[in-house]
Amino acid sequence: MTAITRSLGNVSTVGKVVIPLLVLILVVGPLVTVLLATVIGPWVVGVANSNLGILRFVVAITGILLFSIPAAFIIIYMELKVIAYMNLRVGPNRVLPAGAAHSVIAGLKVLTKEDFSPTSADKTVFTWAPVMVFLTAVMTFMVIPFGPGLVGAPLNIGLLYLFAVGGMTVVGLLLAGWSSFNKYSLLGGLRSAAQVVSYEIPLTLSVVGLILLAGTLSIDSIARQQAGWVWDWFVFRQPLGALIFFIAGVAEANRTPFDLTEADSEIVAGFATEYSGMRFGFLFFAEYVNVFIMSALIVTMFFGAWNAPVDINAVLGFFHLAPFWVYLQPGELGLGLLLVIAVAPLLVTLALSAPVYLLRDSMPAWKALVVGFILFNLLVIGALGLAAYIDWDWVAGLVWFMLKAFIFVFVFVWMRGTFPRVRIDQLMGFAWKWLLPAALLNLFITAFAIVILKSAGIH
Amino acid sequence: MTAPVQPHYPHPSADDPRIMLDAQIGQYEQVPPYPPRTEREAEFYTLGDGEMFLNMGPQHPSTHGVLRVVLKINGEKVVDLDPVLGYLHRGVEKLCENSDYHHIISQIDPLEYVSSLFMEWAPVMAFEKLMDVQVPRRAEYIRVLTGELLRIASHALFQGWMALDLGGLTPILYSFIERDEIVEMLAAVTGQRMLFNYFRIGGVNGDLNHEFMSRLGDWMSRAAVQHEANIGLLNENEIFVRRMRDIGRVDRDTALRMGVTGPNIRAAGIPFDVRRAHPYSVYPELEFNVPVRGSNGGGDSLDRYLLRLDEVRESIRIIDQCLHEMPDGPVMARLPRLMRPRPGRAWAAVESPRGLFGTYVISDGTDQPFRFRIHDPSFVHLQLVGMLMKDNLIADTMAVMASLDPVMGGIDK
Amino acid sequence: MAMTPGGAETAAQAAEDSAPGGEAALVKAAPGDVSSPIIVPNTLWTSARPNSYESTAARFTHLRELEHSDLMLSDTARWGQLEVIPTKADLIIDLIRMNSLWPLLSGLACCAIEMMSAATSKNDMDRWGMFPFRASPRQADVLIVAGTLTTKMAGPLVRLWEQMPEPKWCVAMGDCTCSGGRYKRSYSTIEGIDRVMPVDVYVPGCPPRPEGLIYGMMKLGQLVKERRGHWPEHPIGPNVPQDV
Amino acid sequence: MDRTLRTRLAAKLADRLTGPIRQRHDQTEIRIRPADLIEVMRVLHDDPELEFVILADLAGVDTGDTMQVVYHLWSNKTPDWLRVIAEGLPRGDPRAPSLTGLWPGAEWMEREAYDMLGIVFEGNRDLRRIYMPPDYKSFPLRKDFYLPDDSARGPGGGVRHVEEPYAPLAATTRSIRRTVKA
């Protein structure tokens, strides 16, 4: 025993960790495997089978957590680059082509910064407030349908859940502002409380008309009702509602021109003034996740969710064509399939690199081959993507959904590059004097129209 | 001589009872930490019900440098405020009193770093009065030309800062393009981008050169159009206009009593422009208007903003006239190297982009001035902030302060 | 009267402008007569809140103490216990930091304008990932001291520096911050900020061109990569031996 | 040079002036006692023939044995700048009446003169240091405040005692010469 201790004392820190772990794995590993195979495995499967809903929820929230990070990175990169071009600048362009990784680099750097809390701050609240902000943002994702069936939790009261959870963001901001023990933070937190609470009302009311029209609170159902052509989208039946929802959404996401909570020129960085390191990273992330959520919501409610703007079946029907279908059955080719897999890449690569080589004098052969290979890969990916798009509903839905959502993200970024900031009294006045009556008007007109149309027998 | 040894002091606050107490209570709100010394300080540092202090600066994004403003706020409303200066006090006056007359030009240059040619102009004029020097006409035209160029650059920066303080990101970058072009142009003739050190007693340091003229020609060919485009960028923005209208209104009487000059007094409806009120250089020979804005009730932030845009238009006119009317000839008077003016006093004032910039020199017969006094317009204008901001919102502080266009270098000397 | 009056008109004036002659009029400065000296360095260097680090008093109040301590001799001075992390990971972290240096939005004087100019369209600092000027020191990596540092501003500036989280770097921009520059003789300026805080990169010039600042920032990036988490060699304060 | 201004001033303020009215280039200069300051300024400001409405500058001057406060005024009625010198303030306890009642904008300039030269303006309700820190004791623009010579400080001088007035030996040779002359 002493020999073992002595030799353990000689190994490095890494070794001290690794060697006991190895021993543990060697001894415990087989035991666990046997147990898993005989007893625990069937039991887990049984439990999972009987609790499919919960399992689905856990998988979904994990997926969404994983998804929210690249989404935020892409939006941050987009903001850096788009605003740079609006400013007649180039923007970040050092890490990866066109500086594509600069947002990731910044995120990682923030992660490795020192993370401390001020002396007089309420440490518990100070630590957990960013988590709360981020968590509410991510929880909102749960009910957003990214495509047909691609939804974390298909609640039938999805809208209600959305507003209930979305409204909790302000609690996180308020806690962050209050616990920092900084007057700028406090002002920022209070401003965000006033702002979000005020804009929550027109935001919710603007959707009530839509609910009356759709007759449901389920987001999935609302999305399905917008299938078909562009003019089936709710934005054409609820233009005022869409406008109010958009404006209130900008205010909810704390974006320019309503970014009073972190107004640089007034209250330094608002509720985030005292945050550094990863806690600041959380707040920063949550802001951009919120931007994506707002865009996604606008798309889901008013801009046809995952539906394509063209009803492809109707078009095909007009030309008396059968619905397009991929007739390729790979299994029927038999041995030929192997031949294709072996030869096709080579031939296609050569075929693609030949024109490149011939058309450009300065191109050496190996470079042309590389270009050809890349083109071939792109071709294959494109073909596979097209096949997936045609074959699977959810791929098509995801493509359209992301496209539309990022168009709205672009609008958010555009506004940031363009607008000055409004003042707090103008902000509140706008919410209560204009948006709220307009939302109510929208609601009454919708209800009135529905009653009239129903009594007239038109649906 | 041995250098003084830096003694090692124990941590002074380790057992400081006041700090210990603060740590126990958890607050550090004793502002100021000493008993009030003046009536005004006692009044300001007494908190009413529901009020608190908010300390802005010396490092704050919108205080235009190292100004510190202590706000007494009630919620979002500013009850009172107390600007604290001196964070950039470089002792320029004392340094100038210890430098000879040529040297002073470079000492005073960085005072108002946005428009440093005007900082050279006033002392140079004062020295010329003191020494009875006649400046060649070409040199006077060059002074006017470069000065007006710099005025445009300064007003362009003002436009950008105004937008930045109201939360707009983009205009500042556009105005910096304009400013960089002008500054590079001036660098071609002076050799420096910001602190030109170009004017001399009795003329300017070097004639205009080819690169300057070609750059200027390029710029002039599109200056007016570009200016109108820059105006359109902000003036048609509803948020921007609403943020500035009816904020920080200065009426005529206040403007006079507070010693306001420059664009700020013209925006209050009083056509006081040193170039016309007390003409110097070749300004009497040039045609330009003194733009005035503001109704009977005085001018608000928007007036001050718009007036500067009007001034840019006039400056472009002046530059055009200078280019057409500039005579040939020498750019420096013949002067001895070592200057010992007769004992006497001289005062000279120029219209800088911010207002009346004056210098007052007393000579005692040596090659250094006995007393050298600098009067900077921003210093006077900043006083207004305390008066204008009462019962406005925190966000308006930025709008008003930006519209007064203070530069801390000049304020703090 | 040593002064010779220049003319008839100014004779009386000169008499009024200047004091009567003689040694008697010379006001002797005795120690305590006009003032008592204020010692600058320690008020600058002591933390305003000694217990601000996790409720414990700081172990060191001067970098000079740190220099002589065992902490400074080991590699762990800045990053803490890093033995578990392989060296290459350290390099990757440094590469990341090098490409994302967020400056603090703080300018002192003239150089601040050129600092802003470095970030604008013509000289785009954002290309190296240096752009988002953070307004709060908690989120900044680099303190670009742009402009003359006065004795009154020294305290707040050091406090800003203390408020920035590690790892942090300092760029001294302009002659005034490097050495005192043209205001070296003044009674209210500090001759170079390296008297009050450590400096990583000096960018001379009055003011330096924006390209100069960008070059300095790129040099800083190089330093971040090469220095691998070590402090600069020189300590704070006068680095000339006391016997000189 | 506006000769009519000279006659007008002489007519209005004959008994207040302590010296002759001087004119040079575009400046007219009058000298008064500090005790008369407010009345003189009121006349200058209010009189319809003078109407000096703009206070362009307020400067304190330390001449070595006495102090002066110098005002520069502008009026639409004359092409000259008017310089008003309130002279003869004792150097040990320089006191002058404040002009903040007439021009509230003079407040900070008076604070500056107080900060730099120690001139106390009676009636200014906010007379505290404006540039230097509140605990600063000396007055930098006074003539007995010497700027140190570059060579007087060793290269390893470190952070100097900013406020210590240097004894003449350590001060610039030039400033010593001037002071001795004066």
Side-chain angles (χ1 to χ4, degrees), chain A residues 159-160 163 199-209 211 244-245 248 439:
Chain A
L159 270 180
L160 198 64
F163 291 120
Y199 276 85
E200 195 83 11
I201 296 164
L203 186 79
T204 317
L205 275 178
S206 67
V207 186
V208 175
I211 295 170
I244 296 166
F245 190 85

Side-chain angles (χ1 to χ4, degrees), chain C:
Chain C
M1 289 291 291
M3 197 189 306
T4 46
E9 189 193 20
T10 49
Q13 192 177 349
E16 287 153 1
D17 287 347
S18 51
E23 285 287 326
L26 182 63
V27 178
K28 291 265 172 37
D33 180 19
V34 182
S35 67
S36 55
I38 290 179
I39 312 294
V40 178
N42 273 285
T43 50
L44 297 182
W45 258 107
T46 47
S47 164
R49 299 178 185 181
N51 296 334
S52 62
Y53 251 81
E54 304 290 334
S55 307
T56 51
R59 281 175 66 191
F60 303 108
T61 53
H62 285 65
L63 273 190
R64 189 170 286 175
E65 294 170 28
L66 194 66
E67 184 197 2
H68 296 305
S69 72
D70 53 342
L71 260 185
M72 200 61 197
L73 301 175
S74 70
D75 273 5
T76 60
R78 199 155 190 189
W79 307 127
Q81 296 284 336
L82 276 176
E83 289 163 25
V84 180
I85 300 178
T87 325
K88 284 292 172 190
D90 198 7
L91 176 66
I92 288 168
I93 290 174
D94 280 340
L95 282 176
I96 286 171
R97 284 177 176 149
M98 167 192 161
N99 280 298
S100 170
L101 295 167
W102 292 355
L104 179 66
L105 179 55
S106 98
L108 301 184
C110 331
C111 295
I113 308 287
E114 292 294 66
M115 183 177 83
M116 289 165 80
S117 181
T120 49
S121 312
K122 200 177 160 202
N123 329 285
D124 184 12
M125 231 158 81
D126 195 11
R127 286 175 287 170
W128 292 271
M130 301 165 188
F131 183 52
F133 275 85
R134 298 305 306 183
S136 164
R138 302 284 192 209
Q139 293 134 26
D141 304 316
V142 187
L143 178 62
I144 302 178
V145 185
T148 319
L149 182 67
T150 59
T151 46
K152 195 172 180 182
M153 186 60 202
L157 192 77
V158 171
R159 196 160 171 187
L160 275 180
W161 173 251
E162 283 174 351
Q163 281 174 344
M164 284 164 62
E166 294 277 353
K168 56 191 173 184
W169 298 276
C170 174
V171 174
M173 182 187 181
D175 282 349
C176 298
T177 39
C178 290
S179 68
R182 60 176 95 188
Y183 298 115
K184 196 178 175 65
R185 289 174 70 202
S186 174
Y187 53 91
S188 62
T189 55
I190 289 191
E191 305 166 42
I193 58 157
D194 46 8
R195 312 232 165 195
V196 293
M197 63 167 67
V199 178
D200 293 76
V201 174
Y202 296 85
V203 185
C206 191
R209 290 179 66 88
E211 294 93 323
L213 177 65
I214 293 176
Y215 180 72
M217 291 292 281
M218 287 167 73
K219 274 284 169 199
L220 177 65
Q222 198 180 333
L223 275 182
V224 170
K225 196 177 76 178
E226 286 169 2
R227 204 190 279 157
R228 307 291 293 282
H230 290 276
W231 279 97
E233 292 298 316
H234 54 270
I236 312 295
N239 45 11
V240 181
Q242 286 172 356
D243 296 330
V244 173

Side-chain angles (χ1 to χ4, degrees), chain A residues 86-89 120 181 183-184 187 191 257 264-266 268 416-417 419-426, chain B residues 26 29 53-56 60-62 76 165-167 170 173-174 177 237 242-243 247 393 395-396 398:
Chain A
M86 283 173 184
N87 292 345
L88 309 180
R89 293 189 285 120
S120 309
F181 198 71
K183 285 169 182 172
Y184 292 120
L187 277 173
R191 275 183 179 191
D264 261 17
S265 57
E266 293 156 30
V268 188
R416 170 137 199 204
F419 283 135
R421 191 179 297 121
V422 299
R423 212 166 51 209
I424 183 92
D425 59 330
Q426 292 168 345
Chain B
E29 297 310 313
F53 292 119
L54 183 69
N55 183 36
M56 276 189 179
H60 189 274
S62 66
E76 283 273 342
D165 283 356
L166 298 182
T170 309
L173 288 115
Y174 289 180
I177 294 174
N237 190 323
R242 272 175 186 250
R243 280 287 307 268
I247 297 297
L393 298 174
D396 293 335
M398 278 77 228

Side-chain angles (χ1 to χ4, degrees), chain B residues 90-391:
Chain B
R90 299 182 275 201
V92 176
E93 287 183 3
K94 189 75 178 176
L95 282 175
C96 288
E97 286 168 21
N98 283 276
S99 335
D100 51 21
Y101 284 99
H102 295 297
H103 209 138
I104 284 174
I105 301 161
S106 78
Q107 294 281 19
I108 197 175
D109 223 352
L111 254 194
E112 216 177 70
Y113 30 83
V114 183
S115 53
S116 53
L117 278 181
F118 295 92
M119 306 303 109
E120 299 164 15
W121 203 341
V124 161
M125 268 169 58
F127 300 157
E128 280 157 4
K129 279 181 195 172
L130 210 57
M131 300 168 193
D132 295 318
V133 176
Q134 186 70 33
V135 183
R137 273 175 60 76
R138 184 173 174 81
E140 290 283 19
Y141 268 101
I142 292 176
R143 284 183 185 179
V144 173
L145 173 65
T146 48
E148 295 298 328
L149 273 174
L150 201 60
R151 190 189 305 276
I152 294 173
S154 168
H155 285 342
L157 280 193
F158 161 79
Q159 195 190 5
W161 274 330
M162 189 82 223
L164 190 68
D165 283 356
L166 298 182
L169 291 176
T170 309
I172 181 88
L173 288 115
Y174 289 180
S175 54
F176 255 101
I177 294 174
E178 203 79 349
R179 179 254 175 191
D180 271 347
E181 273 187 34
I182 291 174
V183 156
E184 287 290 349
M185 200 188 293
L186 291 173
V189 68
T190 63
Q192 238 282 22
R193 254 173 73 94
M194 269 182 73
L195 314 175
F196 304 103
N197 196 4
Y198 182 52
F199 292 176
R200 291 285 182 277
I201 303 167
V204 292
N205 181 23
D207 206 343
L208 303 180
N209 53 21
H210 178 72
E211 191 188 344
F212 173 79
M213 291 309 280
S214 62
R215 277 173 183 265
L216 180 62
D218 286 350
W219 181 80
M220 277 299 282
S221 63
R222 51 160 202 81
V225 181
Q226 182 69 42
H227 177 60
E228 301 302 325
N230 283 353
I231 289 177
L233 185 68
L234 283 178
N235 290 19
E236 289 158 20
N237 190 323
E238 185 67 20
I239 298 176
F240 186 72
V241 173
R242 272 175 186 250
R243 280 287 307 268
M244 305 221 293
R245 192 176 284 152
D246 291 330
I247 297 297
R249 187 170 282 278
V250 185
D251 58 29
R252 297 167 64 102
D253 189 52
T254 313
L256 282 175
R257 299 263 177 184
M258 291 301 284
V260 179
T261 48
N264 295 338
I265 199 172
R266 294 196 282 281
I270 299 170
F272 177 76
D273 186 330
V274 186
R275 291 176 293 179
R276 282 282 185 250
H278 196 100
Y280 57 94
S281 194
V282 288
Y283 278 114
E285 302 168 18
L286 298 171
E287 270 183 33
F288 64 99
N289 298 328
V290 176
V292 175
R293 281 195 182 251
S295 52
N296 287 332
D300 51 13
S301 289
L302 188 62
D303 286 329
R304 291 195 280 276
Y305 168 76
L306 293 174
L307 187 112
R308 284 181 169 88
L309 299 185
D310 297 344
E311 283 207 346
V312 172
R313 226 171 269 145
E314 298 301 324
S315 289
I316 294 176
R317 267 181 75 192
I318 295 176
I319 292 168
D320 191 46
Q321 290 173 49
C322 281
L323 286 174
H324 283 99
E325 292 168 19
M326 189 179 294
D328 279 341
V331 292
M332 263 305 272
R334 292 180 63 81
L335 290 172
R337 293 247 167 143
L338 186 66
M339 294 200 179
R340 288 216 169 97
R342 289 182 302 170
R345 301 175 179 232
W347 157 264
V350 296
E351 177 75 16
S352 91
R354 275 155 203 84
L356 182 149
F357 181 85
T359 47
Y360 173 47
V361 192
I362 303 179
S363 157
D364 61 348
T366 58
D367 57 345
Q368 298 174 337
F370 185 78
R371 173 83 171 94
F372 188 79
R373 154 83 187 166
I374 299 158
H375 174 87
D376 188 87
S378 317
F379 179 73
V380 185
H381 296 163
L382 199 65
Q383 285 184 84
L384 273 176
V385 180
M387 217 173 67
L388 299 178
M389 278 324 300
K390 288 185 181 157
D391 296 333

Side-chain angles (χ1 to χ4, degrees), chain D residues 96-160:
Chain D
S98 167
L99 278 188
T100 46
L102 197 55
W103 282 290
E107 183 178 307
W108 278 18
M109 290 193 266
E110 286 173 359
R111 276 178 71 184
E112 191 195 341
Y114 166 72
D115 189 4
M116 293 288 117
L117 290 148
I119 302 172
V120 175
F121 290 90
E122 286 164 337
N124 187 329
R125 62 193 294 266
D126 196 15
L127 202 69
R128 53 189 155 130
R129 291 221 171 240
I130 189 164
Y131 287 149
M132 303 313 289
D135 50 356
Y136 201 73
K137 298 282 182 2
S138 44
F139 301 107
L141 281 187
R142 286 199 178 195
K143 287 293 165 191
D144 56 358
F145 186 96
Y146 298 103
L147 277 188
D149 212 354
D150 282 344
S151 57
R153 278 192 321 281
V159 181
R160 61 176 177 274

